[in-house]
């Protein structure tokens, strides 16, 4: 039971990262109703840029570690902001009246570009951050040794804070009401004096910011993010949100959290080599069942 509880607690940390990515994805998809493969790449790109710039500040500029981390955070945030603006202005604006597949292909190309850019910038080498906040914190009493590291707790708290803030904005402010209105009826909102393109740009920038936060948290915890991580995470989040719903960011985040816990349990009891295959198979099954049920309800 202690082993199971430890896996479950570790899964909460995975769930926090997945929930952030899913929340950000639906912020875009709810407005555009287009399949986007760029957010997973932006997640990895933000983490990789953060690590590379931090390493540069530490080894070349002779900064202290806290100052190098802050320098890496600022530079990575600027790059992610430019990436979000590029997605909004150079992909969605020219292709908004075209086929749905055009955005899919364009964001796939952007993902490949970002992966190659990170690989070339790192000279195909892996850079690692030193372990930080690795001291265990006991989360259960009564003599049961169940713990999380300090960094895991920080990641969970930050993820909850971001999602809670996002939900407060979505439910309690005019920005959230405008997002829902544009998501449901963009033409009608334009007749009421609201610019759907401007709302879309703000949603894309917000989603990129959420994914960048997830990238920073992952980099700080794992110490490294590989070049191919973005594609895997992008596909996972796409399947998770498609299975759980593409209209409510909170529902997508909850579904992604469940998948994160499931991955942790699978890694503890079964072969890690088959973990991604098992998760994708489950998501495809859920998506197929959900699609069939929706079609039956319409009939």
């Amino acid at each position: 039971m202690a082993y199971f509880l430890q896996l479950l607690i570790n899964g909460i940390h995975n769930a926090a990262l997945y929930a952030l990515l899913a929340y950000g994805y639906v912020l875009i998809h709810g407005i555009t109703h287009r399949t986007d493969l760029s957010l997973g790449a932006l997640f990895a790109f933000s983490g990789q840029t953060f690590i590379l710039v931090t390493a540069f500040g530490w080894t070349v500029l002779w900064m202290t570690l806290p100052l190098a981390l802050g320098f890496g955070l600022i530079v990575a945030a600027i790059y992610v902001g430019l990436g979000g603006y590029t997605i909004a202005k150079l992909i969605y604006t020219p292709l908004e009246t075209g086929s749905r597949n055009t955005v899919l292909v364009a964001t796939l190309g952007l993902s490949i570009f970002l992966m190659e850019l990170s690989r070339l910038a790192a000279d195909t080498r892996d850079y690692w951050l030193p372990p930080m906040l690795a001291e265990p914190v006991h989360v259960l009493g009564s003599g049961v040794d169940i713990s999380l590291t300090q960094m895991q707790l920080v990641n969970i708290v930050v993820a909850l804070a971001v999602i809670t803030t996002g939900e407060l904005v979505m439910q309690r402010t005019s920005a959230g009401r405008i997002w829902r209105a544009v998501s449901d009826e963009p033409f009608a909102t334009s007749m009421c004096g609201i610019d759907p393109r401007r709302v879309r740009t703000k949603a894309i920038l917000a989603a990129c910011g959420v994914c960048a936060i997830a990238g920073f948290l992952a980099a700080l915890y794992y110490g490294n993010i590989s070049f191919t991580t973005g594609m895997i995470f992008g596909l996972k989040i796409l399947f998770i949100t498609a299975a759980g719903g593409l209209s409510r960011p909170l529902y997508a985040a909850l579904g992604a959290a469940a998948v994160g816990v499931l991955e942790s349990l699978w890694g503890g009891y079964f072969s890690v080599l088959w973990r991604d295959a098992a998760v994708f198979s489950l998501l495809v099954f859920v998506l197929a069942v959900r699609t069939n049920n929706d079609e039956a309800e319409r009939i």
Side-chain angles (χ1 to χ4, degrees):
M1 179 57 69
Y3 181 68
F4 171 79
L5 290 176
Q6 182 64 66
L7 291 175
L8 189 63
I9 295 297
N10 287 337
I12 295 176
H13 174 258
N14 296 338
L17 295 179
Y18 280 166
L20 277 177
L21 290 171
Y23 197 92
Y25 183 85
V26 177
L27 284 179
I28 293 181
H29 192 279
I31 291 287
T32 64
H33 305 290
R34 298 288 192 273
T35 302
D36 191 316
L37 294 177
S38 65
L39 287 190
L42 278 174
F43 157 77
F45 180 74
S46 64
Q48 291 164 355
T49 304
F50 172 59
I51 293 172
L52 288 175
V53 176
T54 299
F56 177 80
W58 170 263
T59 60
V60 178
L61 301 181
W62 291 56
M63 293 180 174
T64 62
L65 182 58
L67 186 59
L69 291 172
F71 179 55
L73 183 66
I74 292 172
V75 174
I78 292 173
Y79 272 105
V80 172
L82 292 174
Y85 187 80
T86 300
I87 293 171
K89 296 299 182 180
L90 300 183
I91 293 180
Y92 280 104
T93 298
L95 302 178
E96 63 181 345
T97 59
S99 169
R100 292 177 179 269
N101 292 332
T102 56
V103 172
L104 172 64
V105 174
T107 53
L108 176 61
L110 178 61
S111 300
I112 296 173
F113 170 77
L114 291 176
M115 287 190 296
E116 284 299 297
L117 182 62
S118 297
R119 183 184 66 82
L120 293 174
D123 197 21
T124 321
R125 296 171 54 191
D126 285 330
Y127 291 86
W128 293 81
L129 294 176
M132 287 174 285
L133 300 178
E135 291 295 324
V137 177
H138 297 282
V139 296
L140 290 179
S142 303
V144 181
D145 187 18
I146 307 297
S147 62
L148 288 172
T149 66
Q150 295 172 342
M151 183 56 67
Q152 285 178 311
L153 290 175
V154 169
N155 287 1
I156 292 171
V157 170
V158 171
L160 287 175
V162 171
I163 293 175
T164 301
T165 302
E167 279 303 293
L168 289 175
V169 171
M170 294 292 288
Q171 303 299 327
R172 303 289 181 85
T173 68
S174 60
R177 291 191 293 272
I178 291 173
W179 184 92
R180 294 195 301 272
V182 174
S183 175
D184 293 337
E185 292 291 342
F187 179 74
T189 54
S190 65
M191 298 294 291
C192 296
I194 298 173
D195 185 1
R197 289 186 177 182
R198 186 176 180 182
V199 175
R200 182 183 62 206
T201 299
K202 291 181 178 179
I204 291 174
L205 292 175
C208 291
V210 171
C211 291
I213 292 173
F216 300 149
L217 296 179
L220 288 170
Y221 174 69
Y222 295 108
N224 172 263
I225 298 179
S226 66
F227 308 113
T228 59
T229 300
M231 187 64 68
I232 297 298
F233 271 79
L235 289 175
K236 280 185 181 179
I237 296 306
L238 173 61
F239 275 87
I240 289 169
T241 51
L246 294 166
S247 59
R248 286 291 305 275
L250 181 60
Y251 293 166
L254 293 175
V259 172
V261 174
L262 177 63
E263 278 196 356
S264 177
L265 295 176
W266 180 279
Y269 290 104
F270 305 102
S271 173
V272 178
L273 296 176
W274 290 95
R275 182 181 60 191
D276 288 341
V279 169
F280 278 119
S281 299
L282 176 62
L283 292 174
V284 170
F285 173 76
V286 172
L287 180 59
V289 171
R290 183 175 179 274
T291 303
N292 289 336
N293 289 338
D294 291 343
E295 291 180 353
E297 291 177 0
R298 285 196 296 268
I299 294 174

